[in-house]
Amino acid sequence: MPNKLPMGTRRTGDLYDSYEDTPDVKVTLERSEQGLSVTVAWSSPEVPYAAWFMSRGGFLPGTEPKEPKPVPQRVVFHDSHGSVLLIRCWARGFHADAFGPGSGTLWARAAILGVEADLQYDRPHGLSSEISGLREWLGVTSWSIEHELVDGVGVARLTSVPPARIELGDHSGLVLELTSGWQVVPDEGGDRRELLDLLWCTTRSSEPMAWDEHLQLHKALRDLLVLSRWRNESCVVVHAFRQDDPLVTLDGATHGEQWREVIVPGDERVPPPSGWHPHLLRFEDLGVAGINHWINLRDHFARALDPVISSMDLRNATPHTRLAHTGPGLEALGYLLVLRDGATEQKASRMPLRARFERILSEVGDCLPFDGSTWVEDAVSRYNGLKHANRAQPDEVDLLNTWADSVMVVRTWVALELGIPKAEVTKRLVDDRQPRGFSVRN
């Protein structure tokens, strides 16, 4: 078995941390639907591992360790298949006897395969991810296909092409680029071969930067695609590198960067949509300058955009929850637009809800496929109905429709902010596939 962690894996091996006085211990590394975890056992409460899990309670009075070590942020697992560095760890869940043995579970937010030392991969120099829908949106491919007739027989030739690279510049010390690639995946024990058409989003920094600082830029591109078609898209980290972990051959020589394979919980890829799902925001409209404009816009209007974009993940929530989640984003958008107009923070903060929504409408009203004034009236009434107990409770279908129309308002505003002409936005919204117009089923 290679050094892999497919879903359902259970491996037994040794655990190493950054503390010199912790004893050797055998642990079980597991990847399950719940995440990446290591189960650690101890023979008595005096063993240092016990304090990782029982620090919030579990020791009998007088038996607590005098100087317990905190849960390490990184641990290394090693068995006959290889090594795995687990990063951004925390302890959750244990079972123990008051004076005897016990066991606890250490969880990790990512696993870096092949790393044998306690390297700070929670602060990498580079991070690479796969974002669903991004390759198709960019219109790039790593394969060319040719069809011809040879002696009356149809022949197809599939050929790999040099990778495409789109450089998106420096963003607060992180260089962002998009690179295409291909891969041939054999079917183990079978006769099939799978040809992959890939695209990676990569960030690099000269100094190590926090994992989430890297990931913020990756998620910015994912969010752009979410707003474009209003469908869920995945962003899965697949590789990382650090400058102190170069590629080293058996003779001890170094050979540049070594991008390590990364495993993260929840790495399911969103499949492509079935049927026709047109984009509201297209790469040919934006180009590199437009993508950079979006990244800056997302940062400046995060309080407005984040609640709207994240409402995509509330598929099983009630209509009340969706509008209550999205409403603060609409309030923030109106507030930030008024600030951009030149108003003071005090004046902008005192603006009533209706005035904020009307300010948003002044930017998008001509493009919407529904009456903007009616949206303002309904959104103000129904959102206030949720917030204030002395008002009538809005109908669930009405709440769902107001939420959907509000999402389209924000998507429209983003399209116009990114420079897409009003006439083109209006035309595309007519064919947009965002679900709207909900009604009661009989």
Side-chain angles (χ1 to χ4, degrees):
M1 174 181 170
N3 189 18
K4 298 291 185 181
L5 279 177
M7 186 64 68
T9 296
R10 287 176 62 91
R11 292 164 55 177
T12 301
D14 300 304
L15 183 73
Y16 303 94
D17 58 45
S18 57
Y19 303 131
E20 296 181 356
D21 57 348
T22 49
D24 294 340
V25 63
K26 293 291 183 182
V27 300
T28 300
L29 171 64
E30 182 174 6
R31 184 184 179 195
S32 65
E33 296 290 344
Q34 287 71 44
L36 295 163
S37 64
V38 170
T39 301
V40 186
W42 56 88
S43 57
S44 67
E46 289 77 21
V47 176
Y49 299 115
W52 294 358
F53 304 94
M54 300 168 63
S55 59
R56 297 183 181 179
F59 291 105
L60 290 177
T63 65
E64 303 93 340
K66 294 181 179 180
E67 296 181 357
K69 297 292 195 303
V71 178
Q73 291 294 300
R74 300 175 302 276
V75 295
V76 177
F77 170 89
H78 192 274
D79 65 1
S80 59
H81 302 295
S83 57
V84 179
L85 175 68
L86 302 171
I87 66 171
R88 309 172 77 196
C89 300
W90 77 100
R92 187 187 70 203
F94 73 93
H95 186 275
D97 186 280
F99 295 101
S103 64
T105 304
L106 196 67
W107 298 85
R109 290 183 172 86
I112 319 297
L113 303 184
V115 180
E116 299 180 350
D118 179 24
L119 300 179
Q120 296 183 17
Y121 265 95
D122 42 357
R123 294 183 60 82
H125 289 90
L127 209 62
S128 178
S129 71
E130 294 177 0
I131 301 173
S132 63
L134 182 57
R135 185 193 61 78
E136 182 230 353
W137 184 72
L138 294 171
V140 301
T141 180
S142 297
W143 301 97
S144 68
I145 186 168
E146 300 175 352
H147 298 273
E148 64 176 326
L149 285 176
V150 178
D151 297 331
V153 178
V155 176
R157 293 186 176 89
L158 190 65
T159 308
S160 63
V161 300
R165 176 167 294 175
I166 300 174
E167 298 179 352
L168 297 173
D170 187 290
H171 297 269
S172 301
L174 286 167
V175 176
L176 177 64
E177 66 178 19
L178 308 173
T179 308
S180 65
W182 57 270
Q183 187 176 357
V184 179
V185 180
D187 179 18
E188 294 185 11
D191 298 325
R192 298 172 64 245
R193 298 292 184 272
E194 184 178 8
L195 305 181
L196 302 184
D197 202 350
L198 302 170
L199 186 123
W200 296 284
C201 174
T202 302
T203 47
R204 298 170 179 265
S205 57
S206 58
E207 297 294 328
M209 297 184 70
W211 188 277
D212 286 340
E213 290 184 71
H214 282 272
L215 197 55
Q216 183 177 4
L217 279 177
H218 297 248
K219 289 184 175 179
L221 292 180
R222 189 277 311 272
D223 291 348
L224 180 63
L225 297 180
V226 170
L227 287 175
S228 183
R229 288 195 290 192
W230 197 247
R231 69 181 299 270
N232 192 28
E233 302 289 359
S234 55
C235 176
V236 179
V237 178
V238 292
H239 295 101
F241 96 93
R242 277 186 57 89
Q243 293 177 3
D244 55 3
D245 184 29
L247 182 62
V248 180
T249 52
L250 293 176
D251 59 1
T254 60
H255 299 273
E257 298 173 353
Q258 178 167 217
W259 286 81
R260 298 285 193 176
E261 184 178 352
V262 174
I263 303 296
V264 293
D267 63 348
E268 296 82 7
R269 272 70 165 174
V270 173
S274 58
W276 183 59
H277 283 257
H279 280 278
L280 176 62
L281 313 165
R282 301 174 184 173
F283 179 63
E284 54 263 34
D285 299 322
L286 306 183
V288 170
I291 293 177
N292 289 326
H293 185 186
W294 158 250
I295 292 172
N296 294 329
L297 184 73
R298 180 181 180 271
D299 288 342
H300 186 70
F301 285 87
R303 290 288 296 272
L305 295 172
D306 285 349
V308 176
I309 296 169
S310 59
S311 72
M312 165 62 70
D313 299 325
L314 303 177
R315 292 186 176 275
N316 296 323
T318 66
H320 302 74
T321 301
R322 292 191 185 192
L323 187 57
H325 185 90
T326 305
L330 296 169
E331 288 191 75
L333 179 56
Y335 169 79
L336 292 170
L337 288 175
V338 173
L339 283 182
R340 194 169 69 174
D341 293 339
T344 64
E345 291 186 2
Q346 184 180 38
K347 181 179 180 181
S349 64
R350 290 179 177 176
M351 286 191 67
L353 186 63
R354 182 181 299 276
R356 296 188 187 195
F357 285 11
E358 288 175 344
R359 177 64 187 85
I360 300 171
L361 181 64
S362 69
E363 300 263 329
V364 302
D366 296 339
C367 299
L368 299 173
F370 49 82
D371 182 68
S373 299
T374 301
W375 167 75
V376 170
E377 189 70 30
D378 291 343
V380 170
S381 174
R382 292 164 186 169
Y383 183 45
N384 277 329
L386 285 180
K387 294 196 297 181
H388 303 290
N390 62 332
R391 302 196 183 192
Q393 177 80 0
D395 180 79
E396 286 197 350
V397 174
D398 290 339
L399 288 173
L400 194 57
N401 281 312
T402 298
W403 165 76
D405 288 347
S406 299
V407 167
M408 181 162 282
V409 166
V410 173
R411 294 176 62 221
T412 303
W413 177 78
V414 169
L416 296 173
E417 281 288 313
L418 296 182
I420 302 176
K422 280 191 172 184
E424 189 61 33
V425 174
T426 302
K427 177 182 176 182
R428 292 178 189 177
L429 287 176
V430 173
D431 297 325
D432 194 78
R433 298 293 298 273
Q434 179 197 327
R436 289 178 48 251
F438 300 97
S439 59
V440 178
R441 293 183 178 180
N442 296 324

